[in-house]
Amino acid sequence: MRESNLSKNAKTFKIGLKEIYKLNHWVLPVVIFDALFKSIAPFINIYMSSKIIDELLGAKDIERLVLLVSITIGSNLIVHLISTGFGHLKNMLVDIALQNQRMKLNEKIINMDYEYVENPEIHNLRTKIWEANNMNGGGIRALIAYTWYLIKGLVTVITSIVLVIDLFKVDTLSSGHVSFINSAMFSYIFIALILVGTILSLKLRTTGQKKDFKCFSKVMDINRIFIFYANQIYDYNSGKGIRLYNQKRIYNNEIDNTYKNSKKVFTNVGNMNAKYFGFEAFITSFLGGMVYVFVGLKALAGAITIGDIVKYAGSINQFMAGSREVLSSINSIINNNQYLQLYIDFLNIKGGKYKGTLPVEKRDDDEYEIEFRNVSFKYPGTDIYALKNVSIKLNIGERLAIVGMNGSGKTTFIKLLCRLYDPNEGEILLNGINIKKYDYEEYTRLFSIVFQDFKLFSFSIGQNVAASVDYDENAVKDALEKVGLKERLDKMPEGIKTPLYKDFDENGVEISGGEAQKIALARSLYRDSPIIILDEPTAALDPISEFDIYSKFNEIVGTKTAFYISHRLSSCRFCDEIAVFNEGQIIQKGTHDELL
Ligand SMILES: Nc1ncnc2c1ncn2[C@@H]1O[C@H](COP(=O)(O)OP(=O)(O)O)[C@@H](O)[C@H]1O
Ligand SMILES: [Mg+2]
């Protein structure tokens, strides 16, 4: 059980290191060198001071003294310069690696199939990764830091053993009471004391850290709530609601609660730290004192010189500090693995969806034939059919209306049509061929959809319409004119370059809900796809306005195929064909007059 845990942790650690290497090739080499220099530095002084003291107490050769002091100062300077340089380089590379990590996560989300993006589990995973990273650097950042500690600790331990090993060689020449001090037994007792003390202090530290981690996950939950409410207050959209409905008290109350809860947790953390880390500090200082007693006795017994006291005592203390660093960094690495694992899991989410290669036939007449054949679909993680055995031939080139109550499956129907999801049963055909077989990008280019929850961004109007950084200005203007925004556009300070909203630019324009809808419609026109779908972007409007917009839009789209979705039959009366959805099934089909 413990074994398998250990090997699992080692595996995660290895994958983590590989991931760091992928994010930036130079981080790990620089971390290693930096740790190396930082751990060597104290030994230079320990070693050189012992030489200088012996020279002072012994031959007192001035020339040699000057040489020793110069070497000490010189080597300190060199090591300091190199390690400062490496330190800066390390920080810079870590920043680059973390930036790459953020981009990698974003890229992963953008390229992920839509069904994963909508999946709450995956959304949660992403939030946890983000939070772990922000709260305590959990994940990649922490792994880099702990790896640095681990290497520094290891080098410290090895160097101190090399320096101190002589001390434990038994001097057989001594006799009398001095012989005990120089005996192997005395050394063993001392080594045992050091080991027990170090392990005990480490045990205290790991227990303290474990409790710390537990508290931090509690704080993370509290923090999530706090961030949510704080963001709501700053978001000026919800700001309206907060004021109108006088929700201030609810918000303040929640924020107050989270504050009180976090204060409780932090007080606990403080008390615990005092207990565990205080006792640990006591043991460490006690051992530090014992080292001097041991080494001093050795010097008294004539086994070592006075200068050696500095060297050996310093090295043994470094050994203890180093082994604490090694063990606690291993412990931290194991703790951090749970966060690292989230990140690894996230990267391992497979793209999933089958993407075909068949080119989509380009037709000048825009006449495509689409057929749903016995299509059923449940959203991942649910047991209810959002669509049940839907069969319909879409008379492309005409106008189709999809009507049904809220939740009847209209949007789901569209999501399957444009391959945001694939059906669980049945198939969808384009010109007689399963849509999965078509090249995915080409297939999705057939559709231009305005969803109910369409979103405009705080970019320029032109970029919003084109949904891209670069765009054809005339086509954008043309699309905006068609949806009736020409006059509004003429009044804007920078025309189509005017930014929307004031998030990033104080010259940004605020637009009304109706204008936002028009921009969204213009976006669907600009895309110039053969099939345009309006999925109730106008649901918030009254029936007459919706009918108005739908029928005007219907004139604009010309020869294109257009699907109109509404929960109101009346909005679609201009359509050639109307399909009525109910509880995931098509219950009626016909013209407006037939259905009435
Ligand atoms: N992402 C989702 N996960 C789980 N269930 C969903 C999801 N989206 C929609 N549903 C459910 O599927 C059914 C059909 O929804 P939808 O197609 O959006 O209806 P409509 O567009 O007709 O209002 C509803 O019961 C809805 O709750
Ligand atoms: Mg809908």
Side-chain angles (χ1 to χ4, degrees):
M1 184 68 201
R2 268 188 83 85
E3 265 298 309
S4 77
N5 245 345
L6 197 70
S7 70
K8 215 174 99 196
N9 273 312
K11 210 172 127 199
T12 310
F13 178 60
K14 217 171 99 184
I15 297 174
L17 291 184
K18 266 193 203 151
E19 189 52 38
I20 294 173
Y21 177 75
K22 277 190 224 155
L23 292 175
N24 185 297
H25 288 0
W26 289 103
V27 176
L28 286 176
V30 170
V31 160
I32 291 171
F33 271 105
D34 187 53
L36 199 74
F37 276 97
K38 294 253 159 42
S39 48
I40 292 289
F43 288 104
I44 296 175
N45 290 332
I46 290 171
Y47 185 78
M48 292 310 293
S49 339
S50 81
K51 290 277 164 218
I52 293 170
I53 289 171
D54 278 346
E55 192 59 38
L56 281 172
L57 295 175
K60 298 195 179 77
D61 178 342
I62 294 294
E63 227 168 87
R64 232 181 100 79
L65 269 172
V66 170
L67 180 69
L68 285 172
V69 171
S70 313
I71 291 176
T72 311
I73 294 173
S75 50
N76 262 309
L77 202 68
I78 291 169
V79 168
H80 181 73
L81 280 179
I82 293 178
S83 99
T84 308
F86 269 117
H88 283 306
L89 192 60
K90 185 188 83 175
N91 291 341
M92 202 178 78
L93 290 172
V94 169
D95 278 345
I96 293 175
L98 292 176
Q99 180 60 25
N100 286 344
Q101 186 201 6
R102 275 190 288 273
M103 283 182 357
K104 194 166 174 173
L105 283 174
N106 290 345
E107 190 109 329
K108 180 82 192 174
I109 294 174
I110 287 175
N111 289 326
M112 210 177 259
D113 281 353
Y114 183 72
E115 63 184 86
Y116 292 108
V117 179
E118 245 186 17
N119 185 325
E121 255 170 63
I122 291 186
H123 184 74
N124 247 340
L125 191 59
R126 171 77 186 94
T127 316
K128 276 189 195 157
I129 294 171
W130 185 83
E131 282 173 345
N133 236 324
N134 280 292
M135 283 293 287
N136 51 9
I140 293 290
R141 178 197 288 275
L143 179 62
I144 297 175
Y146 298 139
T147 306
W148 180 85
Y149 266 113
L150 179 64
I151 295 166
K152 182 166 168 280
L154 282 174
V155 176
T156 304
V157 166
I158 293 167
T159 316
S160 55
I161 288 176
V162 169
L163 281 180
V164 96
I165 198 92
D166 279 348
L167 183 63
F168 295 96
K169 285 187 183 147
V170 184
D171 184 358
T172 45
L173 291 177
S174 342
S175 62
H177 72 276
V178 167
S179 72
F180 173 68
I181 291 171
N182 282 340
S183 70
M185 182 56 97
F186 185 59
S187 293
Y188 292 153
I189 291 172
F190 175 71
I191 290 173
L193 181 75
I194 293 283
L195 286 182
V196 169
T198 307
I199 288 171
L200 186 65
S201 78
L202 213 99
K203 193 89 199 126
L204 286 167
R205 167 158 291 259
T206 46
T207 316
Q209 274 178 342
K210 233 177 237 156
K211 300 211 167 179
D212 239 21
F213 261 99
K214 256 197 206 125
C215 288
F216 258 112
S217 24
K218 256 189 231 157
V219 173
M220 237 153 97
D221 289 339
I222 296 173
N223 211 42
R224 188 180 306 163
I225 301 171
F226 184 81
I227 288 175
F228 172 77
Y229 282 111
N231 281 345
Q232 291 285 308
I233 285 180
Y234 284 115
D235 179 6
Y236 57 86
N237 276 326
S238 37
K240 267 194 303 242
I242 294 175
R243 279 163 188 74
L244 271 174
Y245 294 103
N246 202 7
Q247 287 164 321
K248 202 166 81 187
R249 290 236 338 259
I250 305 183
Y251 277 75
N252 284 347
N253 194 27
E254 283 299 331
I255 288 184
D256 229 39
N257 274 344
T258 54
Y259 178 71
K260 274 187 201 133
N261 286 338
S262 63
K263 206 171 137 192
K264 236 186 271 162
V265 175
F266 280 123
T267 315
N268 278 343
V269 172
N271 289 343
M272 219 175 47
N273 280 355
K275 199 164 99 196
Y276 287 97
F277 299 139
F279 195 42
E280 186 215 346
F282 168 75
I283 292 178
T284 313
S285 350
F286 175 75
L287 287 181
M290 290 313 287
V291 170
Y292 277 95
V293 172
F294 173 76
V295 177
L297 284 173
K298 285 271 192 190
L300 268 182
I304 57 173
T305 65
I306 302 293
D308 283 343
I309 295 181
V310 175
K311 184 175 92 180
Y312 289 128
S315 299
I316 295 174
N317 276 324
Q318 282 294 322
F319 172 82
M320 291 194 297
S323 35
R324 269 198 305 274
E325 257 173 15
V326 170
L327 295 172
S328 86
S329 58
I330 289 176
N331 186 46
S332 301
I333 285 172
I334 290 174
N335 270 326
N336 181 54
N337 273 352
Q338 55 182 317
Y339 299 119
L340 196 58
Q341 194 58 48
L342 296 175
Y343 176 63
I344 296 169
D345 287 347
F346 193 76
L347 290 186
N348 280 342
I349 297 168
K350 293 275 178 294
K353 180 172 298 179
Y354 176 79
K355 291 180 180 168
T357 50
L358 208 64
V360 175
E361 188 188 356
K362 300 270 183 304
R363 297 186 64 132
D364 293 332
D365 56 4
D366 280 350
E367 290 227 2
Y368 296 92
E369 188 191 76
I370 296 177
E371 182 183 356
F372 274 59
R373 213 178 265 170
N374 304 323
V375 170
S376 295
F377 175 75
K378 291 177 193 168
Y379 279 97
T382 66
D383 303 325
I384 309 158
Y385 279 103
L387 286 184
K388 181 98 184 104
N389 206 18
V390 168
S391 292
I392 186 174
K393 264 196 183 145
L394 304 178
N395 297 324
I396 300 295
E398 299 183 358
R399 311 293 199 239
L400 174 77
I402 298 167
V403 178
M405 299 212 292
N406 284 325
S408 58
K410 305 181 298 291
T411 298
T412 308
F413 178 78
I414 299 303
K415 282 181 185 165
L416 292 190
L417 175 64
C418 61
R419 287 210 72 198
L420 288 177
Y421 289 93
D422 284 334
N424 301 126
E425 295 155 38
E427 51 183 356
I428 305 170
L429 311 165
L430 170 70
N431 296 340
I433 297 169
N434 192 318
I435 56 172
K436 288 183 185 179
K437 297 198 174 132
Y438 290 105
D439 177 274
Y440 183 75
E441 315 297 331
E442 263 188 54
Y443 178 76
T444 52
R445 286 247 9 126
L446 289 177
F447 304 98
S448 196
I449 306 173
V450 188
F451 281 108
Q452 187 168 357
D453 52 356
F454 71 85
K455 200 137 179 67
L456 299 179
F457 301 96
S458 305
F459 307 139
S460 72
I461 295 184
Q463 288 173 338
N464 266 291
V465 170
S468 113
V469 180
D470 306 308
Y471 52 86
D472 175 346
E473 291 194 16
N474 287 329
V476 166
K477 281 183 191 150
D478 189 44
L480 286 168
E481 194 177 332
K482 276 184 180 157
V483 296
L485 274 178
K486 185 172 180 342
E487 277 174 35
R488 179 77 173 94
L489 191 68
D490 287 342
K491 274 190 240 149
M492 294 198 183
E494 298 168 66
I496 55 171
K497 299 224 165 64
T498 311
L500 279 190
Y501 311 121
K502 295 190 186 293
D503 293 327
F504 304 126
D505 195 328
E506 54 179 314
N507 294 325
V509 292
E510 292 296 332
I511 49 172
S512 72
E515 287 164 345
Q517 273 159 7
K518 286 180 179 167
I519 293 177
L521 293 177
R523 179 159 68 190
S524 72
L525 290 176
Y526 178 90
R527 189 169 151 97
D528 197 25
S529 337
I531 303 165
I532 294 194
I533 300 170
L534 301 193
D535 185 0
E536 302 197 87
T538 45
L541 301 182
D542 58 277
I544 296 172
S545 310
E546 185 175 70
F547 173 74
D548 234 35
I549 290 180
Y550 271 22
S551 49
K552 272 206 194 104
F553 190 78
N554 196 39
E555 284 162 25
I556 301 168
V557 293
T559 59
K560 285 184 203 298
T561 302
F563 299 169
Y564 296 92
I565 298 174
S566 176
H567 55 274
R568 293 179 284 230
L569 185 58
S570 62
S571 305
C572 307
R573 50 182 184 265
F574 56 83
C575 290
D576 312 307
E577 173 104 339
I578 296 173
V580 182
F581 273 70
N582 187 38
E583 294 183 355
Q585 290 179 300
I586 296 175
I587 52 164
Q588 264 185 311
K589 250 181 73 185
T591 64
H592 184 255
D593 291 339
E594 284 166 10
L595 292 178
L596 281 177

